[in-house]
Amino acid sequence: METRTGLADRLRTGTKQAHRNVGANPLLRALLAGSLPMAGYAALTAQYFAIYRTLERHAIHWIGNPIAGRMLFPELPRAARLRHDLTVLFGEGWRERTGAAIRPATERYCAHLDRTVRHWPGGFLAHHYVRYLGDLSGGQLVRRALSHNYGYTGRMASTFYQFSCARTVKLLRDRYREAIDTAPVPVAEQRAIVAEAELAFRLNQDVFAELGEIYSG
Ligand code: HEM
């Protein structure tokens, strides 16, 4: 039987305030309430594409790693789905139009990922946790809101939020927490991982804040 390190709980507890802060963001509130204009949703999708493309480029490098490779489930990658959503939102010229739409906060986030997660498996775990477990958690509330408020469904511009059925999502969440909880990470490094996850929340918040000034101000 594998040893549990408590990292899953430590991450949840240690990032609680950061999660609360990001959850109060006006752009996300507008997205959940259905008041974010379509252009804002499209711009957010473009930022996500840049972020997930960066994360998933690094993920390939970590396959099989006992710390950074445990939670790389095949159901998780999002870049191909974002590419699909962007084609729906922007049409065939999406690459040029979204390339031009990448905001400075997104560039800073991606540059930080490139600096940090290439050589530090624990850092990769922290950033992966914040985005992908978030997508499997609050992201599912966003999925429901998109379908309810905008009429977006899985085949349209919101495949990013789709992970098959609700039962699968719950199973994935449980497996995810189990994977990070059995990663052989010493307690001293766990503290650094929690700090990196807090930073990941702040980098996300900066992206939302910058977009919010334009689309939900
Ligand atoms: C208004 C927006 C948001 C809402 C309403 C929301 C809601 C939630 C809820 C209800 C959970 C708990 C699920 C559970 O206990 O199983 C959760 C978990 C989580 N959320 Fe959010 N969330 C939001 C935004 C975000 C954002 C923007 C991120 C990341 C950038 C994020 C990252 C996470 C993570 C990592 C977890 C997992 C916590 C854990 O179990 O360790 N959330 N969210």
Side-chain angles (χ1 to χ4, degrees):
M1 205 177 119
E2 285 172 305
T3 313
R4 290 185 170 278
T5 64
L7 179 58
D9 278 349
R10 212 159 273 141
L11 273 166
R12 179 183 268 173
T13 313
T15 60
K16 201 167 246 173
Q17 188 55 48
H19 184 263
R20 217 170 271 149
N21 295 345
V22 85
N25 180 273
L27 184 95
L28 292 184
R29 306 309 316 172
L31 183 63
L32 282 172
S35 57
L36 185 70
M38 169 86 165
Y41 177 71
L44 178 63
T45 307
Q47 312 314 305
Y48 278 163
F49 180 61
I51 293 161
Y52 281 82
R53 200 177 40 174
T54 307
L55 270 169
E56 288 169 18
R57 193 163 24 83
H58 290 290
I60 292 169
H61 173 79
W62 289 119
I63 292 170
N65 182 277
I67 293 175
R70 303 178 75 86
M71 66 303 180
L72 296 179
F73 308 142
E75 296 89 341
L76 294 182
R78 299 286 96 189
R81 285 168 179 269
L82 287 161
R83 200 175 290 126
H84 167 275
D85 295 348
L86 288 169
T87 313
V88 175
L89 289 161
F90 289 99
E92 282 310 316
W94 70 269
R95 224 172 247 285
E96 295 72 42
R97 293 178 63 191
T98 57
I102 299 306
R103 312 287 317 162
T106 306
E107 282 178 359
R108 285 197 298 277
Y109 188 169
C110 293
H112 177 83
L113 287 171
D114 283 336
R115 274 196 310 275
T116 312
V117 310
R118 173 71 179 81
H119 300 288
W120 180 27
F124 177 79
L125 185 154
H127 283 277
H128 196 275
Y129 160 82
V130 169
R131 278 306 337 171
Y132 294 85
L133 195 57
D135 297 332
L136 290 168
S137 308
Q140 296 308 295
L141 303 177
V142 177
R143 179 180 60 75
R144 282 197 285 279
L146 285 170
S147 150
H148 186 255
N149 300 326
Y150 296 85
Y152 289 167
T153 65
R155 284 184 304 283
M156 295 167 72
S158 62
T159 64
F160 169 69
Y161 298 92
Q162 300 282 327
F163 291 93
S164 180
C165 63
R167 198 173 152 269
T168 313
V169 171
K170 162 86 175 90
L171 278 174
L172 276 172
R173 273 204 305 265
D174 293 347
R175 278 175 56 211
Y176 194 102
R177 287 175 54 79
E178 168 91 16
I180 56 176
D181 219 18
T182 48
V185 187
V187 173
E189 190 184 343
Q190 290 191 25
R191 280 192 215 106
I193 291 175
V194 173
E196 188 63 28
E198 286 187 277
L199 175 57
F201 270 102
R202 286 201 298 280
L203 289 166
N204 275 274
Q205 201 172 346
D206 289 349
V207 171
F208 303 139
E210 230 174 62
L211 284 186
E213 280 172 25
I214 308 170
Y215 297 105
S216 61

